[in-house]
Amino acid sequence: SKGLTLGCIGMGKMMKGHLGNFIQRDDVEVLAVCDVDTTRREAAKKRVDEAYTKKAGEARTGCAAYNDFREVLARKDIDAVIIATPDHWHKDISVAAMNKGKSVYCEKPMVHDISEGPAVVAAQQKNNVVYQVGSQGVSSLGNEKAKELLKDGAIGDIVSMTDYYMIGPVRFVPR
């Protein structure tokens, strides 16, 4: 393999886009996909194998499909993992991956509960690996403009906000 080798954990909607980007790159190789849902897992494996077969011009079926993320983490030939599981799994998989020496890209939110954050930070520092959290939507131009409008009171005075990394749900007093 040339370049970065990846394992993809959680083969739902968010991972579909990530996987599509990674299998097009020549400097990345997806070696494993993982999901507890057999249909998603097998569809992802098929997608990877078909993409690499088309690129190589010959049959490539080297992408492994796993039900248990720990099997992906046990592979010494995988450099990094992409985590796009339900939120309550983010901390456990992130920490386990970093403790196996893997770099991690984890979909937002980083953790299910803020009290889980220090364990992720400690694992990153202890293992000196790359850890990145997806935050594409947070810094999009639309969100930036909406935050500016909210701050300027364009829709009224904000009286409560229940989600710190998205615009909604926000309650306000209309002008």
Side-chain angles (χ1 to χ4, degrees):
S1 159
K2 53 185 173 180
L4 187 68
T5 55
L6 292 180
C8 298
I9 303 170
M11 304 311 302
K13 184 171 69 171
M14 291 305 296
M15 189 66 83
K16 279 185 182 175
H18 295 319
L19 188 61
N21 289 325
F22 287 124
I23 58 179
Q24 291 176 29
R25 297 180 62 111
D26 292 330
D27 58 347
V28 172
E29 184 177 3
V30 177
L31 297 181
V33 295
C34 177
D35 201 291
V36 295
D37 182 301
T38 304
T39 303
R40 286 181 173 183
R41 180 175 64 245
E42 293 304 319
K45 175 186 171 23
K46 182 179 179 196
R47 184 177 180 197
V48 172
D49 287 341
E50 285 177 353
Y52 290 158
T53 294
K54 185 176 179 183
K55 261 189 196 182
E58 61 185 38
R60 294 286 170 102
T61 57
C63 180
Y66 298 101
N67 180 61
D68 187 330
F69 73 88
R70 291 169 291 206
E71 293 180 82
V72 175
L73 302 184
R75 290 186 54 166
K76 300 215 181 303
D77 60 342
I78 291 178
D79 300 319
V81 294
I82 313 303
I83 301 169
T85 59
D87 302 350
H88 65 276
W89 280 103
H90 289 183
K91 182 211 59 136
D92 290 343
I93 299 172
S94 291
V95 169
M98 289 186 283
N99 284 339
K100 290 282 190 177
K102 315 283 185 217
S103 289
V104 174
Y105 171 90
C106 184
E107 270 303 327
K108 64 186 171 293
M110 180 175 102
V111 291
H112 182 61
D113 182 87
I114 198 163
S115 66
E116 297 173 334
V120 175
V121 172
Q124 187 282 325
Q125 291 173 342
K126 179 180 104 179
N127 296 291
N128 195 30
V129 293
V130 174
Y131 186 84
Q132 181 180 348
V133 177
S135 59
Q136 301 90 331
V138 176
S139 57
S140 70
L141 291 177
N143 276 353
E144 291 301 316
K145 181 64 178 170
K147 285 187 267 186
E148 186 181 307
L149 288 169
L150 287 170
K151 184 179 171 194
D152 293 345
I155 62 171
D157 296 325
I158 297 173
V159 293
S160 72
M161 189 174 296
T162 59
D163 193 336
Y164 70 94
Y165 69 93
M166 294 176 68
I167 290 180
V170 174
R171 289 199 305 264
F172 61 95
V173 178
R175 292 193 175 219

